[in-house]
Amino acid sequence: MAQSKSNWPNGVRPRGDSIQIRYQYKGREYNETLDKRPNKTNIAYAAKVRQQRLDDLRLGRTDEEWENPCFGVLAQQYLDTAKVTRSTRDCYRHALNKYWMPKLAKLPIRSITYKDLWRLDSRLKWPSAKTRKNAIVPLRQVFRLAKKNGYAESNPAKELEQEKHQKPPIDPFTTYEKETILAQLDGQALIYFTLAFETGARTSELLALTWDDYDGKRLAINKSMVRREVKLSTKTNMAREVLLTQRAKAILRECPTRFKGGPIFTHSLGGPCLDADDFNRRWRKALSDAGVRYRRGYNCRHTYASLGLTAGAKPGFLCQQLGHTLEMFFSTYAKYIKSEDDELELAKIDCQSPGKVV
């Protein structure tokens, strides 16, 4: 809860769901709105920002530089104040530094036009349409921040057209491939990939599992390992309970950490596995030794869904197990959803077709 206004630092005050900082230098008043919720942590941060602004002015920053800051300054301000997860902020920072900062960093934000961005965009060698789409997101947010603070009259990045990109089709393993791969594994790698195949859980969700999440019948999926840190939510911010197959329960009974409590997956020194690097190395070797065409370990998730649908499991059940929305589930796995009535449904369509089959 935000503290009372009387206790706020000098020059810092709430403004709706944001925080405004105000200060004067040589008789001139400055105002800036930070896109931060007014709570104790952000109030302290705003006070530091205000002091930094004053220090910049005292060190000789000109009025022109302050009223029309360069793109690089606004990009840093956006990264400092964006209400996103750490992993998302890191992705935004990478995109800004790789694609936009080399040409835009020192340009006054107000001088950058759509034509400038269009030329730069057209000259960049984008690896894919998806990469381009992801890189434009933080670019737009930087100009949005500039417009919100009065440094720009419009957001030229909004005019950059987004190309639609087609998701590649999923490429699950067959039952034979699944069994052949698992036969090449042992130890924690066998337990890890057995659970991946038998639950469809995401990599980040598997790494974050603890024995407190297991009740003998199901796993509570309510956190994830993101950039070597446990995040108390899943990718979709929806906790779920995953019912376990007999095979999954059997492999957990063989896990050497079951009597120790704490994380299910640990490294050689006993600490929690913070990433899947070692598991991925074992995965690549297992596929090579098994003579199975390489696909990412993430495809265990697709395999769980596709084999389940082929076996007749209801889409609603699998959707809940995987933590998907129904829309996402059907768009991803529609080709595997079969019905005994498929031929009857096709016959209904045939009846509506004019003419006769010769």
Side-chain angles (χ1 to χ4, degrees), residues 17-19 33-37 81-83 144-145 148:
D17 288 335
S18 304
I19 301 176
T33 300
L34 303 179
D35 193 14
K36 291 276 191 180
R37 287 188 175 277
T81 61
K83 298 174 183 176
R144 178 177 177 270
L145 178 64
K148 188 173 182 179

Side-chain angles (χ1 to χ4, degrees), residues 44-307:
Y45 170 80
K48 291 181 180 179
V49 171
R50 178 180 180 274
Q51 186 59 50
Q52 182 62 53
R53 300 290 187 264
L54 283 169
D55 291 343
D56 287 343
L57 290 170
R58 290 166 183 150
L59 288 172
R61 192 174 186 181
T62 66
D63 287 348
E64 173 61 25
E65 290 174 322
W66 182 248
E67 293 176 357
N68 190 16
C70 62
F71 177 87
V73 170
L74 267 297
Q76 187 60 57
Q77 285 187 22
Y78 168 68
L79 291 173
D80 289 343
T81 61
K83 298 174 183 176
V84 295
T85 63
R86 177 186 171 186
S87 59
T88 299
R89 181 178 285 104
D90 288 344
C91 289
Y92 285 174
R93 179 180 292 108
H94 173 76
L96 287 167
N97 285 332
K98 183 172 183 178
Y99 298 110
W100 308 117
M101 290 290 284
K103 296 295 184 181
L104 302 178
K106 296 183 179 180
L107 296 180
I109 195 78
R110 189 172 290 139
S111 70
I112 301 173
T113 65
Y114 164 73
K115 191 174 183 179
D116 296 325
L117 298 181
W118 175 79
R119 284 177 175 172
L120 176 56
D121 176 33
S122 62
R123 292 171 182 171
L124 286 169
K125 296 181 179 179
W126 297 105
S128 66
K130 182 178 181 181
T131 299
R132 177 180 177 273
K133 179 180 179 180
N134 291 342
I136 288 176
V137 172
L139 178 70
R140 287 177 171 173
Q141 293 303 315
V142 171
F143 281 99
R144 178 177 177 270
L145 178 64
K147 182 180 178 182
K148 188 173 182 179
N149 283 290
Y151 300 135
E153 295 181 358
S154 63
N155 185 341
K158 287 183 67 175
E159 303 303 319
L160 291 176
E161 295 182 0
Q162 292 280 35
E163 298 177 12
K164 292 184 178 180
H165 67 278
Q166 181 174 316
K167 291 175 61 177
I170 63 170
D171 192 6
F173 296 95
T174 64
T175 300
Y176 173 78
E177 288 176 322
K178 168 185 170 181
E179 298 303 328
T180 305
I181 294 168
L182 291 177
Q184 302 296 323
L185 296 167
D186 58 17
Q188 282 209 107
L190 175 60
I191 298 169
Y192 177 88
F193 287 110
T194 298
L195 285 182
F197 274 123
E198 295 295 317
T199 67
R202 301 177 178 92
T203 299
S204 60
E205 296 168 347
L206 289 170
L207 290 173
L209 286 173
T210 68
W211 286 105
D212 287 338
D213 299 322
Y214 179 50
D215 66 1
K217 294 182 179 180
R218 56 182 67 81
L219 282 171
I221 306 290
N222 51 31
K223 52 190 174 294
S224 55
M225 186 73 72
V226 181
R227 295 186 182 272
R228 300 175 63 83
E229 290 186 356
V230 175
K231 175 186 173 185
L232 299 179
S233 63
T234 65
K235 178 182 177 181
T236 56
N237 296 310
M238 292 180 62
R240 67 187 189 278
E241 290 190 341
V242 177
L243 290 170
L244 298 184
T245 62
Q246 293 301 320
R247 186 175 193 175
K249 288 185 281 189
I251 201 71
L252 282 172
R253 286 195 294 270
E254 299 176 12
C255 190
T257 62
R258 67 188 184 282
F259 299 118
K260 301 178 182 178
I264 291 179
F265 298 107
T266 60
H267 56 62
S268 58
L269 298 178
C273 285
L274 302 180
D275 57 49
D277 290 352
D278 186 57
F279 292 134
N280 290 336
R281 283 191 290 270
R282 297 287 305 278
W283 174 259
R284 287 191 291 270
K285 186 177 186 305
L287 266 68
S288 177
D289 292 345
V292 174
R293 176 171 55 85
Y294 179 78
R295 277 152 281 176
R296 294 188 307 152
Y298 190 86
N299 282 35
C300 295
R301 180 172 170 83
H302 296 320
T303 303
Y304 176 79
S306 61
L307 292 182

Side-chain angles (χ1 to χ4, degrees), residues 30-47:
Y30 297 86
N31 296 282
E32 184 178 346
T33 300
L34 303 179
D35 193 14
K36 291 276 191 180
R37 287 188 175 277
N39 56 41
K40 185 176 181 180
T41 300
N42 292 337
I43 291 169
Y45 170 80

